């Protein structure tokens, strides 16, 4: 059971490295900083089994959810002990969600949160209290002594409930982060095209870093997470658990996302023609990434008024959704400050917050979303310190990518001009009697 749960954590596409981390198997408890990495590679090789198992656990879960929702009147009381006042604002600050999302989540997670108490000593806590404790840790980053004061439970119960919530989310709700199928990808790319006129963009890729402090309380380290998002900042793929000093490009090349795209398993729909140039499905990423036929990066030193500059402008508008997702993840208290736990738990927090991020978007609950649409680059500067300028790509690949990027640049310019002319003709029509 344990091992099937573990395997189910992995799917070929939404690759959460945290699974091994959440495994209750004591052998992953080694304090060696390196142990996680070989284990990841081992488990990543069992992808096909994983996909099958995850479908099974998915259908079980759906059945359960239907049963729950068929109950006539779901009890809406929350057993939150004082001093947490039950106002809309307190839900947002304590849990990063509205009270109705909290209740919805509680009804989904209840059977899972209650089923794995420590052997021989049941906690005797209601599901909403368990969820409240776990979410409070994620939302505020409060340490265990603070949580135990707030909720009047012991520190070990606070710790248990926090881990349990992460485990349940990362095991059973991993499917909230799923790579879109072909049909869904079409709507992802039209989301980007609406804003920029550039067709066939399937996502923004970015990499960020979270700090954590090892249990000796001294060594501060960073863990890198790579996300791919759609135009609404929904996470489509995430991989976390790389050392923070690994460059963005190297994180990409170590990810199965890269292998799957290079191997033609993803982004493999027919190209669209842009001014006669076939343009395959592609992602956009910042200067830290290599230019590839499926990965568009900005032009360096674009001249003002040029097609290249129009492309760069469209490109940075598209990238905003990635920056917004990263900034939103960092809105979760536990990810906003150095995480004072082992690396595996840090990775589990990244996974849990990412899964919640998508869950909230699904419900159109924007409580945890970063608000502004201004210059996010001031918030996330971690990537710029992790750039590789070595050109690892063969020049023929780069030439092919350049042809595509040039065609898109012309398109960006045309789009900009069409907006301008629509805008001026509407001005004209406003003025006419
Ligand atoms: C939970 O309740 C059971 C039975 O009522 C009791 O034996 C157990 O000690 C309680 N556990 C805790 C942690 O209080
Ligand atoms: C893609 O996903 C959508 C929504 O999840 C589903 O309705 C559709 O049938 C899927 N299409 C394919 C080709 O699998
Ligand atoms: C990253 O840090 C680890 C240990 O701190 C070190 O072994 C490794 O060489 C570093 N990698 C790079 C690319 O600097
Ligand atoms: C990148 O370029 C800078 C300046 O051109 C150089 O000093 C640095 O060593 C290069 N880094 C790598 C990883 O090649």
């Amino acid at each position: 059971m344990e091992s099937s749960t573990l395997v189910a954590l992995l799917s070929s596409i939404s690759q959460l490295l945290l699974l091994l981390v959440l495994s209750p198997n004591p052998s992953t408890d080694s304090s060696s900083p390196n142990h996680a990495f070989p284990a990841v590679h081992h488990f990543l090789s069992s992808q096909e089994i994983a996909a099958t198992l995850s479908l099974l656990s998915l259908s079980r879960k759906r059945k359960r959810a239907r049963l729950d929702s068929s109950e006539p009147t779901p009890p809406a009381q929350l057993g939150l002990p004082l001093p947490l006042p039950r106002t809309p604002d307190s839900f947002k600050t304590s849990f990063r969600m509205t009270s109705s999302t909290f209740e919805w989540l509680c009804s989904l997670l209840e059977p899972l949160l209650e089923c794995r108490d420590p052997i021989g000593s049941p906690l005797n806590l209601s599901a909403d209290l368990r969820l409240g404790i776990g979410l409070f840790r994620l939302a505020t980053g409060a340490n265990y002594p603070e949580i135990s004061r707030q909720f009047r439970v012991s520190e070990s119960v606070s710790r248990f409930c926090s881990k349990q919530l992460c485990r349940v989310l990362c095991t059973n709700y991993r499917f909230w982060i799923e790579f879109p199928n072909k049909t869904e990808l079409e709507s992802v790319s039209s989301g980007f095209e609406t804003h920029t006129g550039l067709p066939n963009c399937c996502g923004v890729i970015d990499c960020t870093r979270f700090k954590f402090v090892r249990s000796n309380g001294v060594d501060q380290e960073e863990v890198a997470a790579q996300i791919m998002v759609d135009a609404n900042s929904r996470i489509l793929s995430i991989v976390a658990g790389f050392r923070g000093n690994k460059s963005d490009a190297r994180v990409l090349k170590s990810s199965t996302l890269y292998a799957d795209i290079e191997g033609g398993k993803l982004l493999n729909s027919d190209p669209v023609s842009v001014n006669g140039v076939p343009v395959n499905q592609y992602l956009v990423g910042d200067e830290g990434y290599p230019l590839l036929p499926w990965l568009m990066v900005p032009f360096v030193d674009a001249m003002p008024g040029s097609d290249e500059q129009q492309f760069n402008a469209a490109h940075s508008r598209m990238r905003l959704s990635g920056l917004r997702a990263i900034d939103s993840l960092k809105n979760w208290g536990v990810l906003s400050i150095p995480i004072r736990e082992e690396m595996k738990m840090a990775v589990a927090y990244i996974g849990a917050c990412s899964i919640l991020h998508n869950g909230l978007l699904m419900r159109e609950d924007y409580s945890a979303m970063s608000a502004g649409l201004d210059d996010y680059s001031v918030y996330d500067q971690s990537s710029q310190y992790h750039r590789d300028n070595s050109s690892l790509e063969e020049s023929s690949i780069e030439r092919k990518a350049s042809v595509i990027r040039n065609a898109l640049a012309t398109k960006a310019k045309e789009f900009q001009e069409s907006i301008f002319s629509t805008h001026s003709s509407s001005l004209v029509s406003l003025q006419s009697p």
Side-chain angles (χ1 to χ4, degrees):
M1 181 61 208
E2 302 290 5
S3 73
S4 69
T5 314
L6 175 64
V7 175
L9 279 167
L10 279 155
S11 88
S12 52
I13 300 160
S14 65
Q15 4 154 350
L16 290 167
L17 291 197
L18 41 113
L19 16 114
L20 59 126
V21 162
L22 294 170
S23 144
N25 178 352
S27 71
T28 63
D29 271 338
S30 148
S31 58
S32 148
N34 281 315
H35 75 278
F37 298 94
V40 172
H41 293 300
H42 168 70
F43 283 113
L44 285 175
S45 60
S46 48
Q47 285 173 3
E48 284 183 24
I49 311 166
T52 323
L53 283 174
S54 70
L55 286 177
L56 288 174
S57 67
L58 183 64
S59 56
R60 257 204 322 274
K61 198 214 64 57
R62 286 212 171 130
K63 215 173 283 164
R64 180 70 199 223
R66 248 198 318 279
L67 281 179
D68 287 350
S69 62
S70 68
E71 283 170 10
T73 39
Q77 317 138 338
L78 296 177
L80 296 182
L82 297 172
L84 283 181
R86 297 192 46 203
T87 65
D89 264 3
S90 71
F91 273 84
K92 198 172 162 180
T93 51
S94 304
F95 308 123
R96 291 286 183 278
M97 59 184 64
T98 64
S99 61
S100 76
T101 302
F102 186 99
E103 283 165 28
W104 168 79
L105 196 58
C106 194
S107 69
L108 282 183
L109 302 188
E110 182 170 7
L112 298 163
L113 287 175
E114 288 184 336
C115 73
R116 291 230 335 234
D117 279 4
I119 294 155
S121 76
L123 296 187
N124 309 331
L125 292 182
S126 64
D128 46 20
L129 187 50
R130 291 163 191 254
L131 177 63
I133 292 171
L135 283 177
F136 191 76
R137 168 91 178 128
L138 296 176
T140 66
N143 60 26
Y144 296 121
E146 276 171 76
I147 297 172
S148 71
R149 273 197 303 280
Q150 189 76 253
F151 289 87
R152 305 199 180 142
V153 294
S154 70
E155 272 183 50
S156 67
V157 167
S158 312
R159 192 180 296 270
F160 180 84
C161 291
S162 305
K163 292 196 172 172
Q164 177 74 340
L165 176 61
C166 290
R167 188 181 292 134
V168 163
L169 287 171
C170 294
T171 313
N172 303 82
Y173 284 85
R174 186 180 53 76
F175 69 92
W176 280 355
I177 299 180
E178 227 167 22
F179 200 90
N181 64 29
K182 281 194 174 169
T183 325
E184 293 166 316
L185 265 187
E186 282 169 21
S187 70
V188 169
S189 42
S190 59
F192 287 108
E193 186 167 0
T194 310
H195 300 299
T196 59
L198 299 182
N200 236 7
C201 173
C202 293
V204 177
I205 189 163
D206 211 337
C207 188
T208 189
R209 284 157 188 84
F210 299 94
K211 293 187 170 59
F212 69 102
V213 182
R214 290 196 185 277
S215 48
N216 65 17
V218 192
D219 297 340
Q220 183 159 309
E221 295 190 39
E222 286 188 326
V223 55
Q226 170 185 283
I227 58 167
M228 173 193 158
V229 304
D230 71 7
N232 300 315
S233 300
R234 179 172 57 124
I235 300 172
L236 308 178
S237 166
I238 180 168
V239 61
F242 297 100
R243 286 184 185 291
N245 63 357
K246 205 165 170 150
S247 71
D248 293 4
R250 285 185 189 280
V251 169
L252 174 64
K253 283 179 187 175
S254 312
S255 68
T256 59
L257 181 70
Y258 181 87
D260 285 344
I261 298 174
E262 285 281 310
K265 288 194 208 148
L266 296 177
L267 304 188
N268 53 5
S269 289
D270 292 337
V272 299
S273 170
V274 176
N275 297 324
V277 174
V279 173
N280 286 297
Q281 293 180 310
Y282 60 91
L283 306 179
V284 296
D286 67 20
E287 305 85 342
Y289 289 107
L291 176 65
L292 298 172
W294 55 266
L295 180 51
M296 293 291 119
V297 301
F299 289 96
V300 179
D301 298 331
M303 299 289 286
S306 62
D307 293 4
E308 287 80 3
Q309 195 217 5
Q310 293 295 355
F311 174 87
N312 283 359
H315 187 277
S316 46
R317 280 203 299 286
M318 294 202 272
R319 280 195 54 229
L320 280 180
S321 65
L323 296 169
R324 186 171 188 210
I326 288 173
D327 199 40
S328 302
L329 288 180
K330 292 187 175 185
N331 262 350
W332 290 88
V334 77
L335 300 183
S336 68
I337 50 175
I339 305 165
R340 304 192 75 86
E341 296 203 49
E342 289 301 309
M343 165 103 154
K344 59 179 183 173
M345 204 52 213
V347 174
Y349 287 134
I350 298 168
C353 292
S354 305
I355 290 164
L356 288 170
H357 170 91
N358 276 13
L360 294 187
L361 278 181
M362 207 159 64
R363 283 183 55 87
E364 302 182 6
D365 178 345
Y366 301 109
S367 313
M369 281 301 272
S370 145
L373 268 172
D374 52 353
D375 185 9
Y376 287 104
S377 53
V378 300
Y379 301 110
D380 187 46
Q381 295 181 329
S382 65
S383 4
Q384 76 190 44
Y385 304 116
H386 298 276
R387 287 187 180 146
D388 270 347
N389 46 6
S390 52
S391 173
L392 300 168
E393 301 319 309
E394 290 160 34
S395 58
S396 71
I397 293 178
E398 205 168 290
R399 267 200 304 279
K400 184 177 173 210
S402 281
V403 171
I404 292 172
R405 187 169 61 169
N406 291 338
L408 289 170
T410 310
K411 184 81 185 169
K413 180 78 172 287
E414 288 165 6
F415 181 73
Q416 202 55 38
E417 283 165 0
S418 75
I419 287 183
F420 183 72
S421 62
T422 318
H423 184 63
S424 41
S425 64
S426 64
L427 281 181
V428 170
S429 65
L430 278 177
Q431 285 160 357
S432 57

